[in-house]
Amino acid sequence: MKALDQSLVNEIFDRMFEKRLNHGCFSRFQGISLNLKEDLCRRIRAFIEKPKVEKLDSWKDSVLSRYFDDTRKGERYLKDPKGYARAVEALIRLLKTVEKTPELCVVLAELLIQRAKLLNPKGFGANPKKAKMLREAVALLDEAIKNKEKLSYAYRLKVSAYYELKREPSDAGVPDNYYEVLEEALRRNKERINEPEFELAAIELAESERTDVQELLVKIGSNSKDNTHRSMAFSLLNQREKAKEHFDKALNETAELARKGILSFTHPVWEKLHHAAELLDGDRDAAVSLWKTLKGFENTRRYHGLHLLWYWSRLTDIYSLAFRRAYDDGDYLTAFWVADGLKARPLIQWQVLEHVFRKEGFEDYVEAEVYGRLGYYVRKSGGLKRRGTDSEFAPFEPPPFKLKDGIAVVSLYLSEKEGYGLVLEGSGVKSTFRFDANPLWKIYLSYSEALSRGADVLKHNIGTVCLEMGKAFGELFELDSDKIKRLVIIPHGFLHLFPFHGAYSEEKGMYLLEKFDVSYLPSFELALKCFSDDTTFSDEKVALIDEESRDFSDFVPELEEKGFHRSDVRIFEKPEKLHTLAIVCHGKANPANPFESVLKVGEGITVKDVLSAGLKAKEVYLVACESDLAFPTAEQVDEHLSLGTVFLSKKSRFVFSNLWEAKIEKLKNIVPELVDADDKVSVLMEEMKSKIPEGLPSEKGVGYRLADALPFRIYDVNIFAGG
């Protein structure tokens, strides 16, 4: 018999017996010597090696049961997930020291599946450790099935492992025999049809139309303890009223669990509710109610960034379903808020975090977020979270708003490369349009490469970009310029990188900026929060200028004449609330990690530095190249996190920035004029109009001048009436 590892012996007793169990038969283990611990572990292992593994099941369950709490009929929730995970890991390590008999394979597989369910994500993608554990569990179950050992239970566990693999991204891999395993599991466990795994198996087989499970669906609809399963069963039985009734019950139960602080972003209840809402084909209320509950949950629960990003990568489908149902039903204002919710992720992560953590702990959180984006495990961020209370949770209700006269907001939304546009005026959506996003995606691939390689390459590409935008967004040129003076563009996904003010209509023979003033926002909700913020700013104007570069020396007298005084990067350490902040330097976007995009003044100012700084400014002028350049970090995550937009998370009302390299002499003329202007957007548009070259964007030489004329971008939240 192999010698037992001393650390393993200590871990087993420390984690499970001495500190974790309040159980009579283990109470005498308190304070025992290492030798006695080793002896007891050997006895346990010898006991495990005996044929009667059923007793091991009972022992295992008694060890782990204290970590659970029954909070709802038919469901068990972990009250100490970390302690439970450590206990399961210790059991796994112990059982792996024993020869694997078929009986032991089943027990070990169950423990591996239980541990895998608790593993957190890694970066944006699947957790390879989790997928590895699940595949190991499946292999152990295959061994038990081959030896005809505990077949019914082995198939039940195999179904559970497959469900977890299915919840991972597609590269985790669900095997080809998926449905065959479901069928065999049901065949061997007919008497257990109302256990959750088998109910889901019957529902999936009904959807696949490969097996007649009508009788099982009736049993699920009549007897299931899970209202989500009952809703899905009734939908598949074409009993729509009953399906909707049980969906509403399931959603109310979920809201109650959210109030109690039990749910997490990764809990499978969200996916099951999405599935149930999908089966209620065409039902707007079900999809929208689910979205409102989910968004209310976001606003009051954990703001653990790594988990939040992974959660978005899996549950964006809930938003997409609610958007399509609301849009198809003609409820365009709800569709607008759903779409904007997908764009408000910086708001969710940063504004609330800043309120919750203030300064203490915030830098650690930001550092953890950076590591998550790079695909690392985040260990030290476990305590950085906010828990909601019973009084905080409520389903989301869109806040009221009213836009200023002459302003229209254009919110764009992409769904599987199909594009939607919603045009807001006043307090509602006045018009909508659709566009084909496929040509834009194709041109984006070459355009993004040109952006990453610099202005010299971009000049050969920008003309084609302007023409394709004009073709896709022709409806914008049809808007009434007698009523609308300014368009505020809220892009989505890869569209954040496009200069919409440079869209060219061949039919009209003009650029969009020649018909309308154009500004931008990353999120409408973010703008509304900034506009409604009651921060009192001083009248102070501060300039940070890169003194080591002669390129910027001419800015010093220009800004001093406008009332700016000089400072350095140490001002970011102070809780100042400036009226105006100008940063004049070289800038560099980081395509791989937007948190490390940098303004090259002093020792450098990154997005991460701005997020964790105490400094705020009402108006910000980033006289720096690439200060609004931020490549999408993942297909599912829609946040334009640039050096420009990050200041909106700090309550700024106005930000001037550049998408790509801008010529210093042009910036020298534009920025001082903008500082004193009342209508800054109009001033910038006039400046760009004067630089637009004659001729079609596709003509030789025009692209060179377009690249010089179009890099500038303004974010302005002063678009609401009453301010």
Side-chain angles (χ1 to χ4, degrees):
M1 183 180 286
K2 288 167 55 180
L4 284 168
D5 179 78
Q6 179 175 321
S7 63
L8 172 59
V9 172
N10 280 321
E11 181 174 353
I12 291 169
F13 278 85
D14 289 346
R15 299 296 189 196
M16 296 193 303
F17 302 156
E18 292 186 13
K19 299 177 182 177
R20 300 288 176 181
L21 262 180
N22 181 19
H23 194 286
C25 67
F26 292 116
S27 60
R28 63 182 181 277
F29 293 156
Q30 298 278 348
I32 62 176
S33 68
L34 178 60
N35 288 338
L36 183 53
K37 288 179 183 179
E38 288 179 348
D39 181 62
L40 286 168
C41 269
R42 291 181 189 280
R43 290 174 182 272
I44 291 169
R45 191 168 72 174
F47 168 77
I48 292 168
E49 290 173 340
K50 293 179 180 179
K52 295 186 177 180
V53 182
E54 290 80 5
K55 292 185 179 179
L56 175 62
D57 271 339
S58 175
W59 175 75
K60 168 182 63 66
D61 290 341
S62 71
V63 171
L64 300 178
S65 62
R66 60 98 54 217
Y67 299 103
F68 285 93
D69 186 22
D70 292 325
T71 58
R72 177 174 90 165
K73 189 177 180 182
E75 293 256 13
R76 297 177 76 206
Y77 287 89
L78 278 173
K79 57 185 177 183
D80 183 7
K82 289 183 178 179
Y84 174 79
R86 287 192 291 262
V88 171
E89 284 181 352
L91 279 170
I92 290 170
R93 289 178 64 191
L94 176 63
L95 297 186
K96 283 187 174 181
T97 66
V98 181
E99 183 181 351
K100 292 183 180 64
T101 62
E103 300 96 326
L104 186 61
C105 285
V106 177
V107 178
L108 184 53
E110 181 181 15
L111 288 167
L112 286 165
I113 293 167
Q114 289 173 353
R115 181 65 187 98
K117 287 181 178 180
L118 293 177
L119 280 174
N120 289 326
K122 180 181 179 185
F124 288 107
N127 187 327
K129 185 178 177 182
K130 178 172 186 170
K132 181 181 177 182
M133 276 189 175
L134 292 169
R135 291 196 188 97
E136 186 179 351
V138 170
L140 288 167
L141 293 168
D142 286 339
E143 182 66 24
I145 290 169
K146 184 174 72 174
N147 287 277
K148 303 188 183 302
E149 182 62 40
K150 301 179 73 171
L151 288 175
S152 297
Y153 194 57
Y155 272 105
R156 176 185 181 180
L157 290 175
K158 198 169 180 180
V159 167
S160 183
Y162 279 5
Y163 282 152
E164 283 301 307
L165 280 169
K166 196 174 181 183
R167 291 183 71 214
E168 291 292 288
S170 57
D171 58 355
V174 174
D176 296 334
N177 66 339
Y178 179 65
Y179 290 110
E180 286 83 349
V181 170
L182 298 187
E183 290 169 340
E184 186 64 22
L186 280 177
R187 187 179 71 81
R188 292 181 175 277
N189 293 273
K190 287 182 179 179
E191 72 285 357
R192 295 178 173 175
I193 180 57
N194 283 119
E195 294 186 9
E197 293 94 338
F198 302 126
E199 289 181 349
L200 285 173
I203 289 165
E204 289 212 40
L205 287 171
E207 287 185 275
S208 71
E209 299 182 348
R210 56 179 288 142
T211 307
D212 183 5
V213 290
Q214 290 289 102
E215 184 181 341
L216 298 180
L217 291 177
V218 171
K219 288 183 179 180
I220 295 169
S222 303
N223 303 319
S224 177
K225 296 176 182 178
D226 190 319
N227 278 306
T228 313
H229 293 179
R230 296 181 79 175
S231 175
M232 290 190 277
F234 281 126
S235 288
L236 292 166
L237 291 168
N238 295 316
Q239 297 182 35
R240 190 177 181 84
E241 287 187 10
K242 288 186 176 181
K244 183 62 165 62
E245 175 190 346
H246 287 287
F247 178 87
D248 291 339
K249 287 181 180 179
L251 194 57
N252 289 334
E253 290 171 351
T254 301
E256 184 60 28
L257 293 175
R259 287 189 186 94
K260 291 180 178 179
I262 291 170
L263 285 182
S264 66
F265 282 127
T266 56
H267 197 286
V269 68
W270 300 112
E271 290 150 302
K272 290 200 298 184
L273 283 167
H274 170 252
H275 192 181
E278 237 179 354
L279 289 174
L280 283 163
D281 189 31
D283 192 308
R284 169 206 168 276
D285 291 342
V288 170
S289 297
L290 174 56
W291 162 71
K292 285 184 176 181
T293 301
L294 181 63
K295 188 160 176 60
F297 180 69
E298 292 165 17
N299 290 340
T300 55
R301 279 293 293 160
R302 296 183 181 188
Y303 293 91
H304 188 302
L306 181 62
H307 292 182
L308 188 63
L309 292 172
W310 189 62
Y311 141 81
W312 274 114
S313 75
R314 297 162 60 246
L315 296 185
T316 299
D317 288 344
I318 290 177
Y319 276 67
S320 295
L321 179 66
F323 177 87
R324 292 195 305 272
R325 295 273 175 88
Y327 190 95
D328 292 343
D329 197 51
D331 185 0
Y332 297 125
L333 187 57
T334 296
F336 162 78
W337 280 109
V338 175
D340 195 72
L342 284 166
K343 304 169 185 181
R345 297 172 197 179
L347 173 71
I348 292 170
Q349 293 181 66
W350 304 122
Q351 286 202 317
V352 178
L353 273 171
E354 185 179 33
H355 174 72
V356 173
F357 298 128
R358 297 299 179 184
K359 180 72 175 174
E360 186 177 356
F362 193 71
E363 291 183 9
D364 287 341
Y365 178 89
V366 175
E367 195 70 37
E369 189 77 13
V370 172
Y371 272 79
R373 286 174 173 272
L374 293 174
Y376 295 110
Y377 294 105
V378 180
R379 299 191 183 280
K380 69 176 182 178
S381 66
L384 297 177
K385 54 182 177 282
R386 178 193 184 203
R387 293 187 179 276
T389 65
D390 290 1
S391 60
E392 286 181 326
F393 173 81
F396 173 77
E397 289 296 336
F401 69 89
K402 182 171 175 38
L403 297 172
K404 290 179 179 178
D405 293 339
I407 288 181
V409 171
V410 181
S411 177
L412 303 174
Y413 179 68
L414 299 172
S415 178
E416 297 178 355
K417 300 299 183 287
E418 183 177 6
Y420 299 82
L422 301 103
V423 182
L424 276 72
E425 297 179 53
S427 299
V429 177
K430 297 301 182 185
S431 62
T432 66
F433 61 91
R434 294 194 182 193
F435 59 92
D436 184 2
N438 281 302
L440 292 171
W441 172 251
K442 291 176 182 176
I443 199 66
Y444 166 77
L445 297 175
S446 57
Y447 169 57
S448 59
E449 182 182 357
L451 282 173
S452 64
R453 294 176 64 183
D456 289 338
V457 178
L458 180 66
K459 291 172 180 178
H460 300 286
N461 180 272
I462 190 65
T464 306
V465 172
C466 293
L467 284 169
E468 287 297 336
M469 285 193 298
K471 293 174 185 177
F473 302 107
E475 285 81 356
L476 297 182
F477 291 88
E478 301 298 330
L479 296 175
D480 189 351
S481 57
D482 292 332
K483 294 181 180 179
I484 300 170
K485 184 176 188 302
R486 191 206 303 184
L487 296 182
V488 182
I489 309 293
I490 306 179
H492 182 209
F494 66 88
L495 297 177
H496 282 290
L497 265 67
F498 282 93
F500 283 85
H501 52 281
Y504 183 82
S505 170
E506 291 183 276
E507 181 182 345
K508 303 289 184 181
M510 65 168 63
Y511 292 88
L512 191 61
L513 64 84
E514 293 180 293
K515 186 169 185 178
F516 302 105
D517 294 342
V518 181
S519 64
Y520 296 82
L521 286 173
S523 158
F524 190 81
E525 186 180 354
L526 178 60
L528 196 57
K529 292 273 186 178
C530 289
F531 182 78
S532 305
D533 180 64
D534 59 0
T535 299
T536 301
F537 295 94
S538 69
D539 294 329
E540 191 175 7
K541 298 178 182 179
V542 172
L544 276 65
I545 300 176
D546 179 13
E547 299 178 3
E548 296 181 5
S549 175
R550 282 181 281 180
D551 295 339
F552 306 112
S553 58
D554 290 346
F555 268 94
V556 176
E558 295 282 350
L559 292 177
E560 287 179 345
E561 187 178 327
K562 297 295 180 180
F564 284 81
H565 70 81
R566 302 280 297 281
S567 185
D568 56 39
V569 294
R570 287 176 292 181
I571 195 171
F572 275 83
E573 301 171 5
K574 302 175 183 178
E576 301 282 352
K577 296 180 177 63
L578 309 175
H579 182 278
T580 310
L581 173 67
I583 302 178
V584 185
C585 62
H586 291 293
K588 185 64 179 175
N590 188 320
N593 184 2
F595 286 93
E596 296 300 332
S597 295
V598 62
L599 297 166
K600 297 181 179 181
V601 58
E603 295 180 358
I605 302 169
T606 66
V607 168
K608 185 175 66 173
D609 295 330
V610 177
L611 283 169
S612 54
L615 181 71
K616 296 180 181 179
K618 185 176 182 180
E619 296 181 7
V620 178
Y621 296 85
L622 300 181
V623 187
C625 301
E626 300 184 0
S627 50
D628 197 42
L629 180 58
F631 294 93
T633 51
E635 185 178 350
Q636 302 94 339
V637 179
D638 178 41
E639 55 179 356
H640 186 68
L641 190 57
S642 69
L643 288 158
T645 59
V646 70
F647 280 96
L648 296 178
S649 296
K650 306 291 288 185
K651 310 295 194 302
S652 295
R653 301 285 190 90
F654 171 92
V655 179
F656 170 86
S657 55
N658 303 284
L659 257 178
W660 57 80
E661 181 181 334
K663 289 187 175 179
I664 297 299
E665 56 268 23
K666 284 187 170 58
L667 290 166
K668 180 187 170 185
N669 295 331
I670 293 172
V671 173
E673 189 177 355
L674 288 178
V675 169
D676 288 339
D678 292 327
D679 189 346
K680 303 177 191 297
V681 178
S682 182
V683 169
L684 180 61
M685 293 301 112
E686 290 299 324
E687 176 65 26
M688 286 196 282
K689 282 182 203 174
S690 68
K691 306 300 181 184
I692 291 290
E694 295 183 1
L696 292 172
S698 56
E699 291 181 9
K700 186 176 181 180
V702 172
Y704 286 81
R705 295 192 292 278
L706 281 175
D708 290 339
L710 299 177
F712 316 112
R713 184 181 268 186
I714 280 178
Y715 292 100
D716 182 16
V717 306
N718 298 296
I719 59 174
F720 302 99

